[in-house]
Amino acid sequence: DEIRRLHSYPEDSAGQIMTEDFVEVFPTATMAEVLAIIRDASEEEFETVNYVYVLSEDRHLLGVFSLRRMLRTPAEVLARDIMNADPVSVPVETKEEEVARILARYGFAAIPILDLRGRMVGIVTADDAQEVLEEAQTEDVLAFGGVVGDAEAYLSLSIWQLVKRRLPWLLILFVAEFFTGNVLRYYTNTSEKGGDTLLAQLMLFVPLLIGAGGNAGSQVTTTITRALALGEVTARDWLLVIRRELAVSSLVGFTLGFLGFIRAAIPGPIGWGQPVSLSLVVGMALPCIVIWAATVGSLLPIGAKGAGQDPAVMSAPFISTFVDATGLIIYFEVARRVLGAYGLSF
Amino acid sequence: DEIRRLHSYPEDSAGQIMTEDFVEVFPTATMAEVLAIIRDASEEEFETVNYVYVLSEDRHLLGVFSLRRMLRTPAEVLARDIMNADPVSVPVETKEEEVARILARYGFAAIPILDLRGRMVGIVTADDAQEVLEEAQTEDVLAFGGVVGDAEAYLSLSIWQLVKRRLPWLLILFVAEFFTGNVLRYYTNTSEKGGDTLLAQLMLFVPLLIGAGGNAGSQVTTTITRALALGEVTARDWLLVIRRELAVSSLVGFTLGFLGFIRAAIPGPIGWGQPVSLSLVVGMALPCIVIWAATVGSLLPIGAKGAGQDPAVMSAPFISTFVDATGLIIYFEVARRVLGAYGLSF
């Protein structure tokens, strides 16, 4: 019966995870009477008793007190005299994740749930909230890795269900990655006669450059998405975040650029023995790509959050793929200018 | 005084997060006496009362009962007659994360902590355990994104601290990515006269192929690392996991391979109008790389776990970078064989 009633509430709402078993008393009940009510409570009600809720005759929540507080109160005192008035409560239609976060924030063992007319209909316990948060976290982690779906146990999913969770993003990214190929084709097709060898040399550094961009972008997105999830930063902090990320990625990017230049320029077996012109291209493209990746990797999750979306949809694979194509454009444009300064073209 | 004592326990141990404020009674105490003890308890002890602990004279833990249970018990009953004997407890040197997981698993509000001689010295509450778990989770998420360090709030870290958390992995991956370049150089240097054009065409698909491998690998690693963290799979399940992942990645890989072949073969503007030989290389290399990425992406975190390491050190960027270099070898070897069958070489 309770189960049927709970299912009539909106999906993923407080109504679906609450229990209707709680101990309620009138404001005029004495502690002795409250104790008698608890002693006579059903096993289900008793299992969830951490607080006693004080309701009016029309079932409006007037106050709450803890079992602990009751133990220190003399038997003749009235409920209304020890209760905390105006306790925190949430409407029954609130999203379960939101309820869980409120509970975690206040550190309560349970929180009262009110229907649309303000009457108390149940409580959500910290235990149940904990499960909701863990599932939400799992979904976030998976989403961030480019996996679609609910927090169901890995071994409980069929092969086909696993495929369905992974194929959507892989297909989207696959189509997007063809754009990366288009960028390469563009620079290949516009290459001049005699520039073929130079272009072939440039191609050798492509995995290094898009790899560095993807990795730097993943780090930034991971950091910012987590900070957003924990409420350490909000969408309104975007300017502060971007300023910090520009500073960090400049330091990181110039370090990688310097090492990339050295590695490309010095002779083998440690280095690649490239001419200074080409080594400069690598050394200068790296900071540009890393800074660009940090910009994309911080602004996209913040933008998603600002637009009311889950920032985790800006998954690490998505950021990597996005940086692949756009990073290549940066690389070839840097190459055009730097090599041009040496009177070279490709 | 308590603070100084708690600091003498090993770092990150239960001793550092426990409170010494708990309510203890002798086994011969009546409920009336227990109630009196609770009423007279200090505010600190009172704040954490969910359970009453029954100790022997030499402070060994004999049993426990809840405040709730006490309320339903007549005043003359003895503690030893209602207590749960042999309650779950943990040694004071246990890692705080381990304690938090035990608490979460049993759903207790608090867990007793014993010193090395088996005497009860404190309790860890669910609240404190929750914070520990959240920090551990943050560290895992960051590690997985290739960021080193503790779960400190993003805005509390200086630019320099952020750099120090990111540079180590970026440098390692940067050196590793040079190996990817070496793979490209190897196939370029061994390229025959007249094979240049073919090689240039092959190069255009490099970002597509290593991107697909990296994305597929990230999905698998995310899924398996999370399943390991939640205890849904253990290191001993490796054979089951690899069998499932081979099935899933075969389905995913052949789907991508088929689409890659079509896209490469059909004329523009949708396709790339490549000869059937080259399109076949792309179509056949894709499933091989995706299956390889899934193998690496599932076995590496399981292997790390089996070796007693945190599986999250096998970060998504690490798997991507690893698959970049090894995936390229697969690509060029497939190309050599498929193009060879057409009498072509590069």
Side-chain angles (χ1 to χ4, degrees), chain A residues 196-219:
Chain A
D196 285 7
T197 323
L198 211 45
L199 186 68
Q201 293 297 316
L202 284 174
M203 294 292 262
L204 296 183
F205 290 97
V206 163
L208 177 76
L209 290 162
I210 64 183
N215 293 336
S218 290
Q219 288 184 329

Side-chain angles (χ1 to χ4, degrees), chain B residues 202-224:
Chain B
L202 284 173
M203 294 291 264
L204 296 183
F205 291 97
V206 163
L208 177 76
L209 289 162
I210 64 181
N215 293 335
S218 290
Q219 288 185 328
V220 175
T221 319
T222 305
T223 305
I224 300 304

Side-chain angles (χ1 to χ4, degrees), chain A residues 39 41 71-72 146 157 244, chain B residues 39 41 71-72 157 219 244:
Chain A
R39 285 200 168 136
L71 289 181
R72 285 211 184 186
L157 292 164
R244 286 166 65 89
Chain B
R39 287 199 168 135
L71 289 181
R72 284 211 184 186
L157 293 164
Q219 288 185 328
R244 287 167 65 88

